[in-house]
Amino acid sequence: MLFTCSWDKMVRVVDLETNKVVKSFIASKEAIKCLKVTDKHIFVAGCDPIIRAFDIEKGDRKMFQGHKGWVYCLEVHQGRLFSGGDDRTIIIWDIEDAKMMEQLNGHENGVTSICFANNDLYTGSFDHTIICWDLQDLEERIGEKEDMRKADIESRKYEVYWRLMDAKKGKKKKGKGGAKKAAGAKEGGKKK
């Protein structure tokens, strides 16, 4: 099968044995400039800031939102989606939940190409430069960010828990004090 995309917003699947289009669908709201096909997904992007992924088996769609301009290039490496765009950034995405994991800044113009070699990420740009990024360093940064995010969530859970516990204690104290005062008022009322 051959997958093609175009400025007409369509993705077409061509059977190379018969040279016929066996499937076509509108894949974007704007012109498509890049396409990446894996065993599980078709990724398309282009003249809007949204990357769309279509599950090949189920037909489900996901949207990856984070770029601030056109998206020029897509690549998949070790289960992650990498995208480069007009906003001069490279974004690393978690494919399963469409979550941005890391954003790389370094180019002075739109990022037009992404490739991998020797455990490094190479990105090219309209600024006439190629930047080499160490994938191991990127993995460590992503891991640290994820650990910090989890720790933040955990601390917020404890904060909410203790706030609720303090609120319950406050209600019990008010309730007990109020009951004693009410009993004292009744006794006082009888003595008079």
Side-chain angles (χ1 to χ4, degrees):
M1 297 293 180
L2 171 68
F3 293 81
T4 66
C5 63
S6 175
W7 283 81
D8 65 2
K9 309 169 194 169
M10 299 284 291
V11 168
R12 291 175 176 84
V13 184
V14 179
D15 183 329
L16 292 175
E17 290 181 7
T18 63
N19 289 328
K20 292 186 179 180
V21 175
V22 293
K23 185 172 186 168
S24 64
F25 58 95
I26 296 175
S28 181
K29 291 186 177 185
E30 300 295 335
I32 301 170
K33 296 183 76 58
C34 54
L35 167 90
K36 183 67 184 176
V37 180
T38 67
D39 292 341
K40 295 182 179 181
H41 296 96
I42 300 168
F43 298 95
V44 296
C47 296
D48 70 6
I50 300 171
I51 301 164
R52 291 170 175 82
F54 300 88
D55 187 298
I56 291 175
E57 291 179 12
K58 300 175 188 172
D60 296 340
R61 184 179 73 173
K62 294 180 191 175
M63 293 196 295
F64 297 73
Q65 298 182 49
H67 279 288
K68 292 174 179 55
W70 291 9
V71 179
Y72 292 129
C73 54
L74 298 170
E75 198 58 59
V76 174
H77 183 71
Q78 295 180 346
R80 296 215 170 109
L81 176 66
F82 292 72
S83 61
D86 196 39
D87 58 5
R88 303 178 301 201
T89 66
I90 300 99
I91 298 179
I92 304 171
W93 306 89
D94 181 301
I95 291 175
E96 294 306 312
D97 61 11
K99 181 180 80 172
M100 183 191 303
M101 303 182 78
E102 184 63 78
Q103 183 172 348
L104 309 176
N105 298 290
H107 286 289
E108 294 178 10
N109 208 329
V111 179
T112 58
S113 58
I114 296 172
C115 70
F116 301 91
N118 300 324
N119 206 30
D120 290 321
L121 162 66
Y122 293 88
T123 58
S125 167
F126 284 130
D127 64 11
H128 306 287
T129 65
I130 297 171
I131 296 178
C132 176
W133 312 83
D134 185 297
L135 283 173
Q136 186 172 346
D137 286 348
L138 293 176
E139 281 299 319
E140 288 172 10
R141 279 172 47 180
I142 290 169
E144 287 172 5
K145 271 186 161 179
E146 186 61 20
D147 290 344
M148 287 170 43
R149 187 187 69 79
K150 287 179 182 175
D152 182 52
I153 290 170
E154 194 67 25
S155 70
R156 289 173 193 250
K157 285 180 183 176
Y158 283 121
E159 186 180 317
V160 169
Y161 171 79
W162 287 112
R163 222 182 282 146
L164 290 171
M165 294 306 289
D166 287 343
K168 282 184 181 180
K169 286 180 185 177
K171 284 181 182 177
K172 286 182 181 178
K173 286 180 183 177
K174 286 180 185 176
K176 288 181 182 177
K180 287 181 183 177
K181 287 179 186 175
K186 286 181 183 177
E187 290 176 17
K190 289 180 183 177
K191 290 180 182 176
K192 290 183 180 178

